[in-house]
Amino acid sequence: MLTSLNFSCNDDFLDQVPDDRLTLESTFKNRNTVEQYLANVYSQIPDDVSQRGLGGDGNVGPWLAASDEAEYVWGFVGSNSVNIGAWDPTSGFVNSIWSNFYRGIRRANVFIENVDQCTDCGADGALVKRYKAEARALRGLYYYYLMRLYGPVVLVGNESIPVDAPADQLKLPRNTYDECVAYVLAELNAAAADLPAVATEQNYGRMTRSYVQAIKAQVLLHAASPLFNGNADYASLVGKDGKQLINQQYDVNKWKLAADAAKAFIDEFVPGTFDLYRKNNAQGQFDPYLSTRDVFLDEWNKEVIFARVDAGINPRQYEMTPFHAGAQAEAKGSGGLGATQHIVDAYFTANGRSINDPKSGYMATGFTSFKAPNDTEARQVFNQWVNREPRFYVGITYDNSLWLNQNTGNIVTRTWFNGNSGKNSGAGNDYTPTGYIVRKNMSLGDWRNGGRSYVMMRLAEIYLNYAEALNEYNPGHPDILTYVNLIRNRAGIPEYGSAELEAPTGQAAVREAIWKERRVELAFENVRYFDARRWKVAETAFNGPTFALDISAPDINNFYNKVPFETRVFTKRHYLWPIPQNEMNINQLLVQNTGW
């Protein structure tokens, strides 16, 4: 039986494993040190649950607050520089994330080349075969992570290159994006053959065939998307060998490949292995609020395809717990991760319509006595937040809402200037910068209690990937709305084509419906940043004034006004991150991304 590995970075161990052949033989001789080395291959999986410090050992990115979903209150947070365009090829996180993923790839290469030396890994070779497959899957995953940021990268993931090869042999030109896609798919396919279908309690957080299939669907979805599929903005991105790094010919078949990969996952694993998480209330009735809330809190439930088991969840819980002046420590956080007005407005109303739909029932002004799904009583609530869909109340803490942790009694969060979690009450800089606080994936108890996994891939995303790709190559296919409606049904809002809600007609309208559904269903899950980039809409979505409530208004009536808190910068060059300047200086065969 395989044992769980501790996937945290263990640089002390690596320091004891230099690249000389004698030490490598010693390291890979027994199972204990083999597993330690494999744990270090795993350690480059990003720990994106807290995104205050970028790069570093956790490979942390700025995904939430560098999108139109969120804003951190603290000036030191790295996404602040990204949002004003104050970053370039010399920025530390640009180099750190690039280097960390290549470090993971190199560790995988070393592992694959040497693990056959293990003398106590089982006589039948099954364990070594599985370990190799895990390392190979991780190698493919790390290349994918590089590609979605930097575009075409350098493929050095071939174990035939000796680990002690001269440095000049490792100086290679960038491969084309299509070559990178083909390589990653080949790696994932080869790995899948020797991996178990799903994780068990003894090996949560390790590579499985199901997760590999999900990654394949992600890789192909990015490859089919406008950013990489015939994007004329990169016509001049040509390697020094004359290769066009991003294919200039649009290929609709790439969407078919993406749809087929997602459907292959569904056909093999749903509903027997994975299914949408659904939860009943105390009365035994299906509850969409509990279902969309607890899918993140019920560890390794049937919807979870992959999660990081050793995630740094406590910082995020501190960021999501409001300041709550006067409250006991377990309910007193910072509220420093604010949700923007943009994502608040993206949620549907209770009848499943966008707020700008005349039939939505949305009210922009006034107050109503309203009982939210998690509340114990009705409260005076600003009408913009009344009768919204259940996912809104899962995702957003708003002014005069009941806090989740009721261990010390009911606490009502007030986010206006003089409220218990407002700008005038927070100690130093502990207050919401937008008047809203991100709530999704917050535990129900003491924010200081960590020890739970962080969901990185779940079935809902596969369904939406399938619907999106299918609509692009075969619009009108009945599966498209079927899978979107599965998401909406679980969310407790009317399905498209039902008596309550007409179906969108035409490819463009269906595309808009899918994009809206992704934005809400996958909010605050590190998806929006990549979606807006691959769709080539980030120049609009992430550029210009970003809105919030007026947190500085001493008069509560003015607090409810929407005001810009920052003018953000996202130009055409920001779609791809720059190749780190020190890499450009070292390797003269590299060419820089367009605009940098």
Side-chain angles (χ1 to χ4, degrees):
M1 179 183 294
L2 292 174
T3 57
S4 296
L5 300 181
N6 179 1
F7 300 153
S8 60
C9 186
N10 184 351
D11 286 327
D12 289 341
F13 173 71
L14 287 181
D15 289 342
Q16 298 169 26
V17 189
D19 289 339
D20 61 90
R21 184 62 56 188
L22 181 62
T23 308
L24 282 171
E25 290 176 358
S26 174
T27 298
F28 286 96
K29 187 175 182 180
N30 66 80
R31 179 173 173 177
N32 181 53
T33 49
V34 162
E35 291 188 344
Q36 289 183 64
Y37 202 97
L38 182 57
N40 279 281
V41 182
Y42 270 99
S43 71
Q44 296 306 320
I45 292 177
D47 190 7
D48 280 328
V49 67
S50 179
Q51 297 174 16
R52 284 181 250 168
L54 304 185
D57 290 339
N59 258 358
V60 176
W63 322 135
L64 294 190
S67 75
D68 54 357
E69 290 183 327
E71 167 74 359
Y72 277 100
V73 71
W74 305 292
F76 65 82
V77 174
S79 54
N80 293 329
S81 297
V82 176
N83 288 334
I84 61 173
W87 61 296
D88 59 33
T90 67
S91 297
F93 68 90
V94 171
N95 177 72
S96 176
I97 292 177
W98 170 280
S99 299
N100 283 344
F101 285 133
Y102 272 113
R103 185 175 296 114
I105 290 166
R106 183 177 177 281
R107 290 174 182 173
N109 293 347
V110 171
F111 186 88
I112 293 168
E113 185 176 348
N114 289 277
V115 69
D116 285 315
Q117 301 174 35
C118 183
T119 58
D120 63 345
C121 287
D124 62 358
L127 189 60
V128 166
K129 184 180 291 187
R130 163 143 183 202
Y131 282 169
K132 274 188 177 181
E134 290 183 50
R136 197 164 190 177
L138 288 165
R139 183 165 67 186
L141 177 64
Y142 296 155
Y143 272 119
Y144 163 59
Y145 283 150
L146 284 165
M147 291 157 56
R148 66 179 185 171
L149 287 176
Y150 303 93
V153 294
V154 180
L155 294 175
V156 297
N158 187 340
E159 60 269 23
S160 66
I161 298 176
V163 297
D164 52 357
D168 285 347
Q169 290 189 27
L170 301 177
K171 293 179 181 179
L172 302 168
R174 296 173 72 178
N175 290 80
T176 70
Y177 192 81
D178 288 346
E179 287 171 345
C180 293
V181 169
Y183 176 84
V184 170
L185 293 178
E187 287 293 279
L188 297 176
N189 285 333
D194 295 319
L195 290 172
V198 295
T200 61
E201 187 173 352
Q202 290 75 30
N203 53 48
Y204 282 151
R206 299 177 72 155
M207 295 293 105
T208 61
R209 190 173 79 250
S210 53
Y211 184 43
V212 163
Q213 181 63 41
I215 299 167
K216 285 173 54 181
Q218 296 280 52
V219 171
L220 289 165
L221 187 73
H222 272 76
S225 297
L227 183 61
F228 297 113
N229 193 357
N231 186 355
D233 293 337
Y234 296 129
S236 63
L237 186 56
V238 178
K240 292 184 178 181
D241 55 1
K243 283 186 177 181
Q244 188 82 49
L245 295 185
I246 293 180
N247 198 316
Q248 293 298 288
Q249 184 67 42
Y250 174 76
D251 184 359
V252 70
N253 190 60
K254 290 182 177 181
W255 286 110
K256 183 180 186 303
L257 294 175
D260 289 348
K263 189 58 162 58
F265 180 98
I266 294 168
D267 289 344
E268 181 173 0
F269 297 111
V270 180
T273 304
F274 300 104
D275 207 351
L276 291 183
Y277 178 86
R278 298 173 74 90
K279 187 171 185 176
N280 293 342
N281 59 24
Q283 291 72 45
Q285 300 169 323
F286 168 67
D287 190 319
Y289 168 78
L290 293 179
S291 298
T292 53
R293 185 193 72 182
D294 293 358
V295 64
F296 303 98
L297 306 182
D298 184 0
E299 291 276 289
W300 292 95
N301 63 73
K302 204 173 182 183
E303 186 168 339
V304 176
I305 299 170
F306 186 80
R308 184 177 173 119
V309 295
D310 58 343
I313 197 77
N314 290 76
R316 172 63 62 83
Q317 293 190 156
Y318 173 73
E319 297 159 3
M320 294 192 294
T321 302
F323 182 71
H324 289 151
Q328 294 187 30
E330 70 172 87
K332 188 175 184 179
S334 69
L337 180 57
T340 66
Q341 189 68 50
H342 302 266
I343 185 61
V344 167
D345 290 346
Y347 285 98
F348 300 106
T349 52
N351 62 9
R353 298 176 182 271
S354 299
I355 63 171
N356 59 358
D357 186 326
K359 298 180 181 179
S360 67
Y362 176 78
M363 294 181 288
T365 60
F367 295 81
T368 296
S369 179
F370 172 73
K371 184 177 180 295
N374 73 306
D375 212 331
T376 57
E377 61 184 76
R379 305 181 192 278
Q380 286 295 112
V381 176
F382 190 43
N383 276 332
Q384 291 185 12
W385 314 325
V386 171
N387 292 325
R388 301 296 289 272
E389 59 158 308
R391 290 176 295 191
F392 171 80
Y393 304 101
V394 170
I396 305 294
T397 294
Y398 54 88
D399 186 61
N400 211 29
S401 57
L402 182 68
W403 181 235
L404 293 169
N405 183 354
Q406 298 168 28
N407 293 339
T408 61
N410 290 349
I411 301 174
V412 177
T413 304
R414 301 307 307 265
T415 60
W416 72 287
F417 183 73
N418 285 319
N420 60 17
S421 303
K423 187 176 182 179
N424 198 38
S425 300
N429 287 321
D430 286 347
Y431 59 89
T432 165
T434 64
Y436 304 100
I437 304 168
V438 175
R439 177 178 285 208
K440 189 177 185 180
N441 200 6
M442 180 64 205
S443 70
L444 308 183
D446 190 334
W447 70 263
R448 298 169 298 180
N449 293 336
R452 62 187 179 93
S453 61
Y454 180 69
V455 177
M456 297 180 68
M457 172 68 71
R458 59 190 180 93
L459 183 60
E461 188 171 356
I462 298 294
Y463 282 1
L464 292 170
N465 291 352
Y466 176 49
E468 179 186 343
L470 192 57
N471 183 59
E472 295 301 328
Y473 95 89
N474 191 8
H477 193 291
D479 271 5
I480 299 168
L481 290 185
T482 294
Y483 282 89
V484 174
N485 281 335
L486 287 171
I487 301 294
R488 291 175 69 85
N489 176 277
R490 194 265 299 274
I493 54 177
E495 300 176 21
Y496 289 117
S498 65
E500 298 85 5
L501 184 67
E502 63 277 7
T505 57
Q507 185 184 39
V510 173
R511 179 187 300 126
E512 181 182 10
I514 294 169
W515 284 12
K516 286 181 176 180
E517 204 66 45
R518 287 184 69 90
R519 188 174 183 185
V520 171
E521 175 67 23
L522 304 175
F524 312 120
E525 295 183 49
N526 303 322
V527 174
R528 172 67 176 171
Y529 178 83
F530 296 100
D531 276 355
R533 288 170 64 250
R534 67 181 179 85
W535 293 333
K536 290 185 64 180
V537 301
E539 286 170 272
T540 300
F542 301 168
N543 191 57
T546 308
F547 287 87
L549 299 175
D550 191 349
I551 62 169
S552 299
D555 183 341
I556 191 171
N557 294 315
N558 292 326
F559 164 74
Y560 299 101
N561 295 330
K562 297 180 184 181
V563 297
F565 66 85
E566 183 175 55
T567 299
R568 294 187 170 179
V569 175
F570 192 104
T571 63
K572 200 172 293 293
R573 74 173 184 170
H574 294 122
Y575 280 108
L576 291 183
W577 282 26
I579 306 300
Q581 189 59 48
N582 62 348
E583 295 294 331
M584 297 291 298
N585 295 341
I586 293 169
N587 185 354
Q588 301 302 312
L589 296 178
L590 296 177
V591 294
Q592 185 57 277
N593 278 330
T594 303
W596 295 100

